[in-house]
Amino acid sequence: MAMTGFQLRRLTLVGNGVPNAEVQFNEGLNVVSGPSDTGKTFIVQCIDYMFGASNVPKPIPESERYETVRLALSLPSSKEEFVLERSMRGGNFTLISTSQADRTLSAKHSADDKDSVSRYLLGLSGLTGKKVRKNKQGVTREVSFRDLARLILVDEETVISEESPILSGQYTTATSESAVFRLLLTGVDDSSIISIEDPKVAKGRQAGKAEMLELLLSQTKGRIAELQLPGDAKVWQDQLTQVESLYEAAQKELAVEQQNAASLEGKRRVELNGLRKLESQSGVLRELQRRFTLLEQQYLSDLRRLESIAEAGSRLGQMNEERCLVCGALAEHQEHEHQKEDAAPGDVAQSCLAEAAKIRALISDLHLTREENDKEITRLHDQCELAREHIRAVSADLTELLKPRVEIALLRLRESQTTRDTYRHVIELNGRVNELQGLLSDLGNLTATKGAELATARIRADETEDFCQEVESLLRAWHFPGLDRVTFSEGDQDIVISGRTRASHGKGVRAIAHAAFNLALLKSCLKREMPHPGFVLIDSPLVVYREPDTNEGGFSHDVKDAFYRSIAEDLRSAQVIIFENEDPPFDLDNKATVIKFTGASHGRQGFIPKKH
């Protein structure tokens, strides 16, 4: 991608007895962020002033002792810097360069003046000597760098304007402003235009317009007839007012029924939670009963074993001593020193009987506990049945009573909405009929002189297809909500996003769409190696943008972050400077030049150093 134009490197304020105020810029994305009153807007005004603006920057208390503004520029392929210097009170420029002697540049553009700041900047941009139309008769003039300013430098008021990014809103300059946009978009100027046009051509064009208007008028009237609505525009407007009232009433009715349903649903949820708790308690007790059964079986087994041991002990105690089973010696001849002293069989029998008595007591206690658990299980079972009955009752209310009422309210809402949309559509079509009839009337009143005027200088939609694709690509990369297709309105000389003009949106969307317009123009010129100053500066493109609510399906919530990341990635070889109140994403520092003004005692307070 070849790079044209130049880039900003440094803005410096110089004064006596005060430290220089300076901000530096680099290739790629530059972000200057910070709260209000930190000098961001003042920087934008100073840069605009150094590009030949007649108005000096609006003074602020911190700037009162500064006298000179310096703006350092460089070509993308060169490290050599060129410095423009100008007094804060106005006047001409001084061009300072290490490779040549200083020279004075006049502030005002003139076709005969070779040493003006406008001609110097146009030369860096590859646009020296280009011509554009200045009126409908085809009279041309030389392009001034101030003609490009609104396409590369956008202040905080212009960015939210309803006016097209191409136009300033002044009728007398609209033709040249459209011509400048076409020049950057196509690379072709108006130097070949002949200012006098053949009246026959103008007459034929006028007849074609009339034919097209009549066709559109006939089609629009046919669409009105298809709706088969009685009455006229006044009747339709009255009907629309009534239907809108019905629609609002249906909305309120539906809201009430939905609230009632939500209340019953909440009650059923509480009952279900209670039922689950009761069932859980019952399940725990049933498991205990099962384990108590196993414990009783163990107790009975131990009891039988102890009784057997006691009986065996009693029997052994009654037996006489006999000969040794090994050697056959009589008892009195046997030696017992190697044997451990054993308990007497009678004592073992008594111990077993005592232990058996304890186990019988435990079995008795276990029987009592199981009886109590059985009672509790029965009680919990009754409560579960009662809870189930309550749940069935609430469910019946929801199904048999509220559900039909909600469906009826929803049906009324849909019917009134359909009727409302129909009347809105017929009123819109009627307004279009009136507009087309007015255009036909105006066309019929054109004089022969006006018929000889050149075709409009406005850019055509077919000339902007690639440009619109660039705008759409940027908006899609920024996760613009609900994006469908971007087209160009010849009438508004502005982009149309998803079938809706940029001007019809709120301030936040207008601002971010304005940024997309200017950046897409820069990208388009870079891709096709068309002349362009090579940078774009935008003040506050995001400050009034509010992301859609979380309940608006399909809307993303990261437009602002995607805005910065996309520019940092796609325009690395150009230069984009963004001024914004909020800081960019924290992970952007390694991909862009980020300058943060804090407005406080920590960090960099603002553009101009505070007095100590």
Side-chain angles (χ1 to χ4, degrees), residues 204-222 429 431-446:
R205 187 179 67 255
Q206 182 177 343
K209 287 182 179 179
E211 183 179 353
M212 178 58 67
L213 288 174
E214 288 173 353
L215 175 62
L216 292 174
L217 183 61
S218 174
Q219 290 176 344
T220 307
K221 287 182 177 179
L429 291 174
R432 196 174 303 168
V433 166
N434 294 335
E435 180 182 2
L436 291 171
Q437 287 175 339
L439 290 173
L440 271 174
S441 176
D442 294 341
L443 194 61
N445 294 331
L446 289 176

Side-chain angles (χ1 to χ4, degrees), residues 192-434:
S192 62
I193 290 181
I194 300 175
S195 58
I196 298 176
E197 186 183 19
D198 185 352
K200 293 182 179 180
V201 175
K203 185 177 181 180
R205 187 179 67 255
Q206 182 177 343
K209 287 182 179 179
E211 183 179 353
M212 178 58 67
L213 288 174
E214 288 173 353
L215 175 62
L216 292 174
L217 183 61
S218 174
Q219 290 176 344
T220 307
K221 287 182 177 179
R223 293 172 66 183
I224 292 177
E226 289 175 359
L227 295 175
Q228 297 181 350
L229 294 177
D232 53 15
K234 185 178 182 306
V235 173
W236 297 335
Q237 187 62 52
D238 293 341
Q239 289 293 326
L240 177 60
T241 303
Q242 295 177 13
V243 172
E244 285 180 338
S245 299
L246 293 175
Y247 179 76
E248 291 177 0
Q251 278 186 317
K252 293 178 180 178
E253 181 184 358
L254 180 60
V256 170
E257 298 300 345
Q258 288 177 333
Q259 185 176 3
N260 292 336
S263 176
L264 281 178
E265 186 60 37
K267 183 178 179 182
R268 182 169 67 172
R269 192 178 300 111
V270 171
E271 292 288 351
L272 282 171
N273 290 337
L275 176 60
R276 293 190 187 101
K277 185 176 180 181
L278 291 172
E279 289 175 341
S280 176
Q281 292 175 352
S282 178
V284 169
L285 291 177
R286 293 180 187 277
E287 177 62 20
L288 282 175
Q289 290 295 78
R290 187 185 67 81
R291 295 187 181 187
F292 285 161
T293 300
L294 295 176
L295 180 60
E296 184 178 5
Q297 293 173 357
Q298 185 64 43
Y299 281 162
L300 292 174
S301 175
D302 291 345
L303 187 60
R304 286 192 295 271
R305 186 170 57 255
L306 288 172
E307 289 174 348
S308 298
I309 293 172
E311 183 178 355
S314 298
R315 297 291 184 184
L316 287 173
Q318 296 172 2
M319 294 176 64
N320 294 325
E321 295 182 351
E322 298 292 340
R323 290 179 181 270
C324 176
L325 298 175
V326 178
C327 65
L330 293 173
E332 60 267 22
H333 299 297
Q334 296 174 10
E335 293 183 6
H336 303 284
E337 294 178 359
H338 62 283
Q339 295 181 348
K340 293 182 180 179
E341 185 177 354
D342 294 330
D347 294 338
V348 172
Q350 290 300 319
S351 297
C352 288
L353 292 174
E355 188 64 25
K358 291 180 182 179
I359 291 176
R360 290 189 185 93
L362 289 174
I363 292 174
S364 177
D365 292 342
L366 184 60
H367 287 167
L368 292 175
T369 301
R370 291 182 65 185
E371 290 176 0
E372 291 176 357
N373 280 357
D374 286 336
K375 293 178 181 178
E376 183 64 16
I377 289 172
T378 301
R379 186 185 69 82
L380 290 174
H381 178 269
D382 294 340
Q383 288 187 351
C384 286
E385 288 300 321
L386 183 60
R388 292 188 184 97
E389 185 61 33
H390 289 168
I391 292 170
R392 286 192 289 270
V394 174
S395 299
D397 288 343
L398 277 170
T399 305
E400 299 173 6
L401 297 179
L402 274 181
K403 184 179 178 181
R405 283 157 49 185
V406 170
E407 290 176 348
I408 292 173
L410 185 59
L411 179 61
R412 290 174 180 168
L413 179 66
R414 289 173 177 169
E415 289 177 347
S416 58
Q417 183 178 12
T418 300
T419 306
R420 181 198 64 178
D421 292 344
T422 300
Y423 278 107
R424 282 182 175 179
H425 185 49
V426 74
I427 290 173
E428 179 187 353
L429 291 174
N430 186 70
R432 196 174 303 168
V433 166
N434 294 335

Side-chain angles (χ1 to χ4, degrees), residues 9 12 96 184 274 293 561 566:
R9 290 289 173 253
T12 308
I96 304 170
L184 292 180
T293 300
D561 288 356
S566 169

Side-chain angles (χ1 to χ4, degrees), residues 441-575:
S441 176
D442 294 341
L443 194 61
N445 294 331
L446 289 176
T447 62
T449 302
K450 288 191 175 182
E453 293 177 351
L454 289 171
T456 177
R458 294 181 169 224
I459 195 80
R460 301 190 311 273
D462 61 307
E463 295 175 305
T464 64
E465 288 185 5
D466 292 340
F467 168 73
C468 289
Q469 289 178 5
E470 290 290 351
V471 176
E472 182 178 333
S473 175
L474 282 174
L475 292 176
R476 201 170 300 282
W478 299 348
H479 303 170
F480 188 88
L483 181 62
D484 181 16
R485 184 168 177 261
V486 175
T487 57
F488 190 82
S489 169
E490 296 183 10
D492 297 330
Q493 289 288 278
D494 204 349
I495 54 175
V496 178
I497 304 173
S498 302
R500 184 174 173 183
T501 61
R502 187 188 68 88
S504 67
H505 287 277
K507 292 181 180 179
V509 174
R510 289 204 303 269
I512 202 168
H514 197 301
F517 190 105
N518 292 80
L519 293 172
L521 179 60
L522 172 61
K523 284 188 66 178
S524 179
C525 290
L526 292 178
K527 282 186 177 181
R528 295 180 294 120
E529 300 183 13
M530 294 291 185
H532 188 281
F535 74 95
V536 170
L537 183 154
I538 308 174
D539 189 4
S540 306
L542 301 174
V543 69
V544 293
Y545 180 80
R546 183 181 71 83
E547 293 179 342
D549 296 335
T550 55
N551 61 353
E552 294 179 339
F555 283 1
S556 65
H557 296 269
D558 57 347
V559 173
K560 295 182 180 181
D561 288 356
F563 171 84
Y564 286 114
R565 292 192 175 95
S566 169
I567 296 174
E569 183 64 28
D570 295 343
L571 291 166
R572 288 174 294 182
S573 61
Q575 186 179 51

